[in-house]
């Protein structure tokens, strides 16, 4: 009797199919990665974050907050730039705190050196600062602070919200005691004007 020949596998088709499947998988992973936009960039080496990258990262959310609460994006961005040195400070790059917000009670905190203007001079003290999970979270809490004030004075930053211009808002921040720097309003105005941040206001 003649032996029947066994059907040999078509290796060309098998190998081709393997590469097609692998290619589809890699393409899907790349597509998924492209859809994920990190809140921060180059946080391991924040000195490589350009000023425009910083603005491109946080400006869209600042504009969303204006729509929801009325805070001028130019003020949010100006404060973030001034307080975090364009997101490169240790507090901003490692702990996502863009505005130097202090921690109280059981809030997650990091203890760092900070400069305060006391008795007509700058001094360095230790402060407990809030730790966030993202820059967006920092933006959110900063806005909530302006909207809700503090427990002992809910209207503390009301004039910041009702200001008709960034200059009025900057002055209101200083008068409300947001920072101890006597030139705080002037510095915010300078940042806003130097980098044309009013273009983000709607």
């Amino acid at each position: 009797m003649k032996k029947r020949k066994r059907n040999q596998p078509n290796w060309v088709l098998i190998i081709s199919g393997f590469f097609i499947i692998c290619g589809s998988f890699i393409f899907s992973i790349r597509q998924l990665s492209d859809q994920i936009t990190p809140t921060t960039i180059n946080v391991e080496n924040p000195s490589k974050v350009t000023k425009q990258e910083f603005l491109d990262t946080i400006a869209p959310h600042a504009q969303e907050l204006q729509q929801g609460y009325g805070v001028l994006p130019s003020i949010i961005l100006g404060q973030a730039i001034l307080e975090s040195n364009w997101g490169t400070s240790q507090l901003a790059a490692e702990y996502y705190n863009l505005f130097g917000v202090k921690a109280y009670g059981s809030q997650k905190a990091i203890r760092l050196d900070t400069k305060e203007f006391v008795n007509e001079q700058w001094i360095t003290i230790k402060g407990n600062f809030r730790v966030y999970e993202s820059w967006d979270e920092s933006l959110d809490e900063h806005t909530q602070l302006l909207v809700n004030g503090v427990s002992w004075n809910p209207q503390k930053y009301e004039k910041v919200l009702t200001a008709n211009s960034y200059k009025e808002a900057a002055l209101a921040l200083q008068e409300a005691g947001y920072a101890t720097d006597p030139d705080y309003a002037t510095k915010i105005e300078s940042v806003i004007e130097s980098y044309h941040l009013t273009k983000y206001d709607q």
Side-chain angles (χ1 to χ4, degrees):
M1 292 178 65
K2 293 183 178 180
K3 293 183 178 180
R4 293 182 179 179
K5 293 183 179 180
R6 295 181 179 178
N7 292 329
Q8 297 295 322
N10 192 326
W11 291 107
V12 174
L13 289 177
I14 292 174
I15 293 173
S16 299
F18 175 78
F19 280 112
I20 291 172
I21 292 171
C22 288
S24 299
F25 177 77
I26 293 171
F27 177 78
S28 298
I29 292 296
R30 285 181 176 174
Q31 288 291 98
L32 180 61
S33 298
D34 289 342
Q35 294 173 7
I36 300 174
T37 303
T39 304
T40 58
I41 31 185
N42 293 327
V43 291
E44 292 182 358
N45 192 350
S47 63
K48 291 185 178 180
V49 177
T50 68
K51 293 177 179 179
Q52 191 57 52
E53 284 176 332
F54 180 71
L55 288 174
D56 289 344
T57 302
I58 68 171
H61 193 52
Q63 291 177 313
E64 291 174 356
L65 291 171
Q66 181 189 17
Q67 294 175 359
Y69 301 98
V71 183
L72 291 173
S74 58
I75 284 293
I76 296 175
L77 299 175
Q79 277 194 279
I81 291 168
L82 186 62
E83 297 278 356
S84 74
N85 191 25
W86 296 92
T88 65
S89 70
Q90 182 184 6
L91 187 60
E94 295 182 21
Y95 304 104
Y96 302 102
N97 189 331
L98 291 171
F99 301 96
V101 174
K102 300 289 179 59
Y104 298 97
S106 60
Q107 292 177 327
K108 189 175 181 181
I110 182 67
R111 192 168 179 80
L112 297 173
D113 287 343
T114 181
K115 289 185 177 182
E116 301 285 352
F117 192 78
V118 180
N119 295 327
E120 303 299 319
Q121 62 180 342
W122 286 101
I123 62 173
T124 300
I125 62 174
K126 290 286 186 181
N128 292 324
F129 295 92
R130 287 280 280 117
V131 174
Y132 299 107
E133 297 299 320
S134 67
W135 281 350
D136 278 359
E137 186 181 358
S138 180
L139 290 167
D140 289 340
E141 185 157 303
H142 169 262
T143 297
Q144 289 300 317
L145 174 63
L146 298 182
V147 172
N148 299 321
V150 291
S151 59
W152 60 90
N153 185 4
Q155 286 77 43
K156 185 175 177 67
Y157 298 107
E158 183 177 7
K159 290 184 179 180
V160 178
L161 303 176
T162 59
N164 294 316
S165 68
Y166 69 88
K167 290 187 177 182
E168 285 184 23
L171 182 59
L173 279 169
Q174 182 169 322
E175 291 178 343
Y178 186 93
T180 59
D181 187 345
D183 299 317
Y184 195 67
T186 301
K187 290 178 179 178
I188 291 177
E189 289 178 24
S190 177
V191 169
I192 291 173
E193 292 166 1
S194 296
Y195 298 98
H196 311 290
L197 300 183
T198 53
K199 67 183 178 182
Y200 297 101
D201 295 341
Q202 300 172 356

